[in-house]
Amino acid sequence: MRLERLNYNKIKIFLTLDDLTDRGLTKEDVWKDSLKWHQLFHEMLEEASEEFGVDIQGTVAVEIFSMQAQGMVMIVTMEEQRDDELLEDGFIEMQVTVDGSEDILFEFQDFEDVIQMAKRLNLVHIENGSLYSYKGQYYYYAADICGEDIHRAVAILAEFGNPSFVSIHLIEEYGKIIIKDKAVKKLVCFFS
């Protein structure tokens, strides 16, 4: 699980499929609104509260983006409350958005992160994919990774970047292609 503060009242939580499995959950538990899911959600809010020093009370809006191979990303927005509106246990409003994509698309802030990601993917014999740039970010896209390699790739990609909220179609249309095919293999070849 990875936490990132987006601004004063928004936190992004990234959960891999392994994170859910380790806690005995599936994506279906999230959609079913199960008791196990509520316990995990409250644990995540407590961890975010401790890590970022925010007091999470009152209304919390949650958007969940499910990415087939990567896991899920949750955007938690703490709405500002007046003192008389604060609730003891808080009220959770959930908005669920599902993205059923099986392709992998991650964004990276630094080119050095892209190079390190490529070296790690190469170690597990994943050499394919494409590399793009768009609005000062780098994007690694792969549609041809299957089986157990998907989970390995996502775990490695999550160490160096974040799942992209921008679609590959937008990046292909407005971004710039850096390496069209076999991006991992070429990056390792050029930068090792």
Side-chain angles (χ1 to χ4, degrees):
M1 178 172 73
R2 193 169 69 219
L3 301 168
E4 179 181 337
R5 187 158 193 176
L6 300 176
N7 61 29
Y8 76 97
N9 72 335
K10 269 190 187 181
I11 295 170
K12 179 166 77 171
I13 302 171
F14 176 64
L15 289 164
T16 64
L17 293 177
D18 289 339
D19 290 331
L20 290 173
T21 304
D22 290 347
R23 291 171 171 85
L25 287 165
T26 64
K27 280 198 221 179
E28 288 73 34
D29 290 324
V30 175
W31 312 139
K32 289 182 204 168
D33 207 22
S34 73
L35 179 60
K36 283 196 279 186
W37 164 246
H38 277 276
Q39 289 170 336
L40 173 63
F41 182 73
H42 285 286
E43 286 173 20
M44 289 186 295
L45 289 183
E46 285 176 25
E47 189 173 329
S49 178
E50 289 171 15
E51 185 167 329
F52 299 119
V54 293
D55 189 21
I56 301 175
Q57 293 184 22
T59 303
V60 177
V62 180
E63 296 176 79
I64 301 174
F65 299 90
S66 173
M67 288 163 281
Q68 209 69 1
Q70 288 108 319
M72 63 179 51
V73 174
M74 295 174 21
I75 305 295
V76 179
T77 305
M78 286 88 50
E79 295 181 8
E80 293 184 36
Q81 300 288 319
R82 296 190 312 259
D83 287 341
D84 61 339
E85 290 179 333
L86 290 176
L87 305 172
E88 261 183 56
D89 293 325
F91 174 77
I92 297 171
E93 169 193 332
M94 294 187 132
Q95 303 164 349
V96 178
T97 305
V98 178
D99 173 9
S101 172
E102 293 195 25
D103 299 343
I104 295 174
L105 180 62
F106 270 73
E107 67 181 47
F108 302 87
Q109 302 224 349
D110 255 3
F111 194 71
E112 183 60 35
D113 290 334
V114 173
I115 294 168
Q116 295 306 315
M117 170 274 302
K119 288 178 180 179
R120 291 283 305 281
L121 285 177
N122 190 56
L123 288 175
V124 294
H125 309 291
I126 297 172
E127 298 180 336
N128 297 329
S130 303
L131 185 65
Y132 297 85
S133 69
Y134 175 67
K135 289 191 174 182
Q137 303 273 42
Y138 299 96
Y139 293 85
Y140 171 76
Y141 173 71
D144 51 2
I145 300 175
C146 53
E148 279 301 307
D149 286 343
I150 289 176
H151 302 295
R152 273 190 222 109
V154 168
I156 292 169
L157 290 163
E159 286 181 47
F160 299 99
N162 294 307
S164 174
F165 290 119
V166 179
S167 77
I168 187 59
H169 307 292
L170 182 111
I171 293 170
E172 287 175 335
E173 182 75 24
Y174 298 105
K176 181 179 179 183
I177 187 136
I178 298 172
I179 302 173
K180 184 173 174 128
D181 297 311
K182 301 226 181 254
V184 171
K185 183 177 184 176
K186 291 175 183 173
L187 283 165
V188 170
C189 181
F190 294 145
F191 295 100
S192 287

